[in-house]
Amino acid sequence: ILATNNKSKVKEISEMMSGSDITFVSLADVGINVEVEETGTTFEENALLKAREICKLSGKPTISDDSGLCVDYLDGAPGLYSARYSGEDATDEKNIDKLLFDMKNADNRKAKFVSVVSIAKPNGEVYSFRGEAEGEILSGRMGTNGFGYDPVFLSDDLGKSFGVSTSDEKKSVSHRGRA
């Protein structure tokens, strides 16, 4: 079980693991309608909280990802709050708009995507893996591929935004793929 209802995350993780004999399902696919409160202070803590809770509820091995964008100029923000950076009714577009506004005078545009993938098994075993993708925040959107902050993230590895990168290119260097 993937401890998410984010269809983009389910698609991305399923594509990364294509060729394995594992079938990934979302919370909705297995009828779990629970929002695990992310009370941790790190990506690691939040990923483990979600994986353990859904594993406990389902009795099935569970994978959880907690990820976000950490911007040097903003002292690591939006960080843990990347998905709701622009407020309670946050959308990808609103989050990008807020980020670009907050960085309009930035002299340092360095940023990184961080992902921690945690796996909880019914026997109590847990594992966590961290991946990072270094880059910069562009001054405007470039491309429409991906999701979240991808259109404004210039990947150091690719030399272009995740928003113009193909799915295969992004997977080869992404924070989630590395984790």
Side-chain angles (χ1 to χ4, degrees):
I1 297 174
L2 296 176
T4 186
N5 279 315
N6 181 324
K7 290 181 172 134
S8 296
K9 274 189 184 182
V10 173
K11 181 178 184 249
E12 189 173 80
I13 292 170
S14 295
E15 286 175 357
M16 277 187 238
M17 299 300 291
S18 66
S20 74
D21 61 351
I22 300 169
T23 301
F24 295 94
V25 294
S26 71
L27 295 174
D29 292 336
V30 294
I32 296 176
N33 185 17
V34 123
E35 187 72 30
V36 178
E37 192 174 348
E38 295 180 353
T39 56
T41 59
T42 65
F43 293 113
E44 287 82 1
E45 288 175 3
N46 283 337
L48 277 170
L49 280 168
K50 290 185 284 187
R52 282 183 171 135
E53 183 65 21
I54 299 305
C55 181
K56 188 169 76 176
L57 287 171
S58 68
K60 302 284 184 196
T62 301
I63 296 174
S64 175
D65 157 85
D66 197 38
S67 54
L69 178 68
C70 301
V71 179
D72 287 2
Y73 180 75
L74 302 174
D75 296 322
L80 293 177
Y81 307 103
S82 293
R84 47 197 182 278
Y85 186 53
S86 61
E88 224 172 274
D89 61 342
T91 64
D92 289 350
E93 291 304 308
K94 289 179 184 178
N95 286 339
I96 289 173
D97 288 344
K98 178 172 174 36
L99 177 66
L100 293 176
F101 178 81
D102 290 349
M103 293 196 62
K104 67 181 180 288
N105 297 317
D107 51 347
N108 175 4
R109 303 191 76 82
K110 293 295 294 172
K112 65 183 174 185
F113 273 119
V114 174
S115 174
V116 174
V117 175
S118 292
I119 302 168
K121 296 169 73 177
N123 67 4
E125 291 179 52
V126 293
Y127 306 91
S128 289
F129 308 92
R130 183 182 179 101
E132 297 183 359
E134 301 281 340
E136 295 181 16
I137 301 302
L138 297 165
S139 57
R141 291 168 175 79
M142 186 179 292
T144 57
N145 294 341
F147 63 99
Y149 298 95
D150 286 354
V152 295
F153 184 77
L154 177 69
S155 165
D156 284 353
D157 292 305
L158 299 177
K160 58 183 174 180
S161 88
F162 278 171
V164 297
S165 303
T166 67
S167 176
D168 285 341
E169 287 172 326
K170 181 183 171 189
K171 278 190 298 188
S172 73
V173 299
S174 80
H175 53 304
R176 197 167 288 114
R178 288 177 170 158

